[in-house]
Amino acid sequence: MNQDMNMPEMIPERIPDDHETVAPKEAQPGNREKLGRSTVIIALLSFGLATASGVLRMCLSSNVWAAEAFYRYVTRYLQAFMTKITSILPFSLAETLVVMLPFAIIGVLGFAVYRLVKKDTYRLKRMVVCIFTVLSLLFANFMLNLSILYCRPSLSELTGMDDKNISADELCASSIYMIHKLEQCIDSGAFAFNTGGASTSPYGYDELDERIEQAYDSFAQRNVWLSPYGAKTKIISLSDIMTYTHISGIYTQYTGEANINVNYPDHVVCATMAHEKAHQRGIAPEDEANLVAFFVLAESGDPYLEYCGYMSIFADLTSDCRNAAPEYYYDNILPLIPAQVKGDLDAYAEFFKKYEKSKAADVTDTANNAYLRFNGEEHGVASYRMTSAMAARYIMERIALEFYVE
């Protein structure tokens, strides 16, 4: 039988060798180009958002009521959104990021040097664009969640209380009433003083936070200019170390967290909680946050919270009273100050001796002063102590004080 010479030759299909590898798709130039374009587009959008938020901040700075409207319909919900997310975490995300920041910077610098040595300009450029994107988003967050709050009407405008032209009689009368309230709180027996003279909280941290939060919820219902959205404060793990900076608490707008230094005496921790919650609910200026904290604690109906609220303004108010009417102060006010209040103040002074002279505090004061002035607080860190006039007006008008100073 003859073989058909026209039959096509059968060529077996080539089977690839097991060791043969195929170049990954991500290494192909085309895919790298696409990734680069998408990264640049995101960076440009982020820069656009940052630019728009900066321009918006400039525009709102000239119209306080437009800023107030923007706060109530936009920023308030952005803040609530941030706090809602981070409140899920049992620890302070802000503190964690701060601790990790030096390592992140070292890592980025190391990566940059390595890529320069390898002459890998593609990955180096991509890193620079990513950093630019992150910084743009952080700037936009700062503008929309905090800086714009400084454009809102002043607390005196929001409450209708005049904080100007406080007379010596009003300062002295409100001081007397404050001392009277402190004495009532002490006599209630709701809290005690330790052997060193310091007042001690009758509540654990979580319960104290919850009570202050309830007081804020109640206050916000009566005062619509205050946000109804709050969140639990978080303990700073490195509280003892932070005390050397003289910082008792810090609100971080990037995460929406109110962070508390629990190394301070109890009454300071309580007042700090209320202060940081004021920031969390839309009050940016430091003096106004102090005042709102005082208002909320004073109206809480809880003897310990009221005590902490009045103690937070005691030094400023009585000091201004002494400067305005020294003779009356030494004859009629100083003798009225309860021994427990003096003991509490002495205990605080003793506690603070360890941290008083600190280079870290000098650095943080300088930085904080520059930050506050940048946001329009012309008095800088001195604004923390500018509360007595408004506190006196609040006591005289809202608590209906009817003392007469002879």
Side-chain angles (χ1 to χ4, degrees), residues 98-264:
V98 169
V99 171
M100 291 174 60
L101 184 60
F103 301 101
I105 293 174
I106 293 172
V108 168
L109 292 176
F111 180 86
V113 170
Y114 177 76
R115 290 303 170 189
L116 281 173
V117 172
K118 290 290 186 180
K119 297 182 179 180
D120 188 351
T121 57
Y122 167 71
R123 287 187 173 84
L124 191 60
K125 289 178 181 177
R126 187 172 62 177
M127 182 193 72
V128 171
V129 172
C130 288
I131 292 174
F132 177 79
T133 301
V134 171
L135 293 178
S136 295
L137 292 174
L138 289 176
F139 179 82
N141 181 303
F142 173 76
M143 286 289 121
L144 297 175
N145 278 341
L146 184 62
S147 189
I148 281 177
L149 300 183
Y150 286 94
C151 302
R152 297 181 67 192
S154 67
L155 189 60
S156 63
E157 291 175 297
L158 292 172
T159 60
M161 291 188 293
D162 179 18
D163 60 345
K164 308 296 182 183
N165 304 316
I166 299 295
S167 67
D169 283 1
E170 290 174 309
L171 285 171
C172 291
S174 56
S175 295
I176 292 174
Y177 182 80
M178 175 181 59
I179 292 171
H180 171 68
K181 287 296 296 182
L182 284 169
E183 195 167 39
Q184 279 188 338
C185 294
I186 294 168
D187 292 342
S188 71
F191 57 97
F193 296 81
N194 63 25
T195 55
S199 57
T200 58
S201 174
Y203 313 119
Y205 184 90
D206 290 340
E207 185 177 359
L208 178 63
D209 183 275
E210 183 178 352
R211 286 175 177 269
I212 297 175
E213 191 68 14
Q214 290 173 351
Y216 260 98
D217 289 341
S218 177
F219 189 86
Q221 289 179 357
R222 303 189 301 274
N223 299 274
V224 296
W225 45 266
L226 190 67
S227 172
Y229 307 111
K232 186 179 183 299
T233 59
K234 295 186 177 182
I235 295 174
I236 296 173
S237 300
L238 303 176
S239 287
D240 182 59
I241 295 175
M242 179 166 276
T243 310
Y244 286 99
T245 67
H246 299 176
I247 294 175
S248 59
I250 185 168
Y251 169 68
T252 309
Q253 82 282 349
Y254 298 114
T255 63
E257 295 171 304
N259 306 278
I260 310 300
N261 182 341
V262 293
N263 188 48
Y264 276 85

